[in-house]
């Protein structure tokens, strides 16, 4: 069976309904919620504060330390709490992406902690977490050269689609599913994170980059609106 229609009725390049809001955790220095359909992520930023142990301090620049976690009941089969290989990998790619836009020279010898929690997962959680973290850092007043925006581009059978769901990730027929999470900077559209789960011919890779630029530009608009104080909830009234 060829893939001609998305299971949730979206156009190939259409994003899921978005929720975006900052300031959701008053005790944090900065915080944000970002949701894409049923994938819901929150991020909290604490710091900058002096880094321990002292041997890790760098008098030239600070570090961004990210921790990504899923709530046990965010997925259909309970996720074991605590670190896993997957959560360590996602924390690392998230730290790298965020460190590329933060002006680390502003906080020598220090650390900014970024805690990301996935409340509900329906694929694309690393992207939702990065979007929330980017907003939370800006909300905390951490100096950034640009924001970062993340989206997962899929190749389902022979179609390039934006913001894939778990159901699409599990599509087994035809050429099968490919999941390409991209993170881009807001002004230069530099790619600061790119992963690939599946296969895509080089000839079609350019198409996936174009799709991610378009999708990230749309998502950026929501991030900026939320940072200006708007509470966006396109999920309202939907189950
Ligand atoms: O979430 P993301 O797409 O960034 O990462 P993934 O490792 O490709 O996981 C895809 C999806 O699989 C997640 O979003 C969850 O919906 C699901 N998953 C799960 O059900 N249980 C896990 N322990 C991990 C992921």
């Amino acid at each position: 069976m060829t893939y001609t229609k998305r299971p949730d009725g979206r156009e190939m390049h259409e994003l899921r309904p978005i929720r975006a809001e900052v300031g959701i955790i008053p005790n944090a220095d900065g915080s944000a919620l970002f949701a894409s359909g049923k994938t819901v992520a929150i991020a909290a930023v604490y710091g900058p504060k002096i880094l321990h142990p002292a041997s890790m301090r760098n008098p030239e620049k600070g570090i961004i330390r990210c921790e990504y976690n899923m709530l046990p009941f965010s997925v259909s089969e309970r996720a074991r709490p605590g670190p896993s290989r997957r959560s360590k990998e996602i924390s690392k790619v998230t730290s790298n992406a965020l460190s590329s836009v933060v002006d680390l020279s502003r906080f020598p010898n220090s650390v900014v902690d970024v805690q990301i929690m996935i409340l509900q997962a329906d694929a694309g959680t690393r992207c939702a977490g990065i979007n929330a973290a980017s907003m939370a850092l800006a909300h905390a007043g951490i100096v950034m050269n640009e924001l970062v925006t993340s989206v997962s581009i899929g190749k389902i059978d022979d179609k390039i689609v934006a913001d894939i769901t778990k159901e699409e990730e599990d599509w087994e027929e035809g050429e099968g599913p490919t999941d390409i999470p991209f993170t881009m900077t807001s002004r230069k559209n530099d790619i600061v994170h790119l992963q690939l789960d599946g296969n895509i011919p080089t000839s079609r890779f350019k198409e996936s980059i174009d799709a991610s630029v378009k999708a990230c530009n749309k998502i950026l608009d929501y991030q900026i609106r939320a940072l200006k104080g708007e509470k966006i909830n396109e999920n309202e009234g939907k189950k």
Side-chain angles (χ1 to χ4, degrees):
M1 198 167 65
T2 46
Y3 187 88
T4 47
K5 220 171 155 274
R6 301 186 77 173
D8 56 11
R10 273 185 293 157
E11 299 293 331
M12 298 298 168
H13 292 283
E14 194 177 336
L15 302 171
R16 288 180 273 180
I18 286 176
R19 270 178 77 188
E21 189 178 336
V22 298
I24 54 152
I25 303 167
N27 283 353
D29 293 309
S31 59
L33 176 148
F34 185 91
S36 185
K38 291 182 184 146
T39 290
V40 185
I42 57 170
V45 168
Y46 301 90
K49 57 195 173 197
I50 210 76
L51 178 62
H52 293 285
S55 59
M56 281 180 68
R57 288 180 201 156
N58 182 340
E60 311 267 301
K61 58 180 188 177
I63 61 165
I64 302 284
R65 185 166 57 192
C66 290
E67 210 178 285
Y68 161 106
N69 280 299
M70 288 175 129
L71 277 180
F73 294 100
S74 61
V75 284
S76 42
E77 220 167 285
R78 183 179 180 277
R80 237 179 96 198
S84 61
R85 270 182 64 160
R86 178 176 174 277
S87 70
K88 281 188 204 154
E89 169 209 314
I90 297 177
S91 302
K92 178 92 180 114
V93 296
T94 302
S95 294
N96 288 350
L98 297 172
S99 300
S100 67
V101 287
V102 169
D103 186 354
L104 301 171
S105 67
R106 300 263 181 156
F107 47 97
N109 297 317
S110 303
V111 57
V112 171
D113 274 308
V114 180
Q115 292 282 338
I116 296 169
M117 186 58 82
I118 305 303
L119 307 187
Q120 207 174 260
D122 183 14
T125 61
R126 71 197 64 208
C127 300
I130 290 170
N131 290 334
S134 174
M135 290 158 66
L137 281 169
H139 181 242
I142 303 290
V143 178
M144 300 160 84
N145 304 320
E146 304 179 59
L147 286 173
V148 289
T149 307
S150 188
V151 73
S152 188
I153 300 298
K155 186 173 81 59
I156 317 288
D157 198 0
D158 65 341
K159 302 280 188 307
I160 301 285
V161 297
D163 190 18
I164 64 171
T165 61
K166 180 82 177 114
E167 188 177 0
E168 290 176 309
E169 266 190 13
D170 293 342
W171 177 269
E172 290 292 349
E173 291 172 59
E175 292 174 21
T178 296
D179 173 22
I180 319 172
F182 279 95
T183 304
M184 297 197 159
T185 65
S186 53
R187 280 200 214 113
K188 297 187 197 146
N189 283 155
D190 285 341
I191 298 171
V192 291
H193 158 226
L194 169 62
Q195 293 182 280
L196 173 69
D197 187 7
N199 291 298
I200 185 162
T202 322
S203 57
R204 303 215 55 201
F205 187 63
K206 176 76 173 55
E207 249 182 279
S208 74
I209 298 179
D210 292 344
S212 88
V213 171
K214 278 195 194 119
C216 284
N217 282 336
K218 283 188 212 157
I219 295 168
L220 174 65
D221 206 47
Y222 289 92
Q223 291 175 298
I224 292 172
R225 279 167 52 198
L227 280 164
K228 287 182 176 164
E230 208 178 315
K231 288 182 186 177
I232 301 160
N233 188 357
E234 296 181 331
N235 266 323
E236 220 149 29
K238 294 188 182 138
K239 225 182 152 237

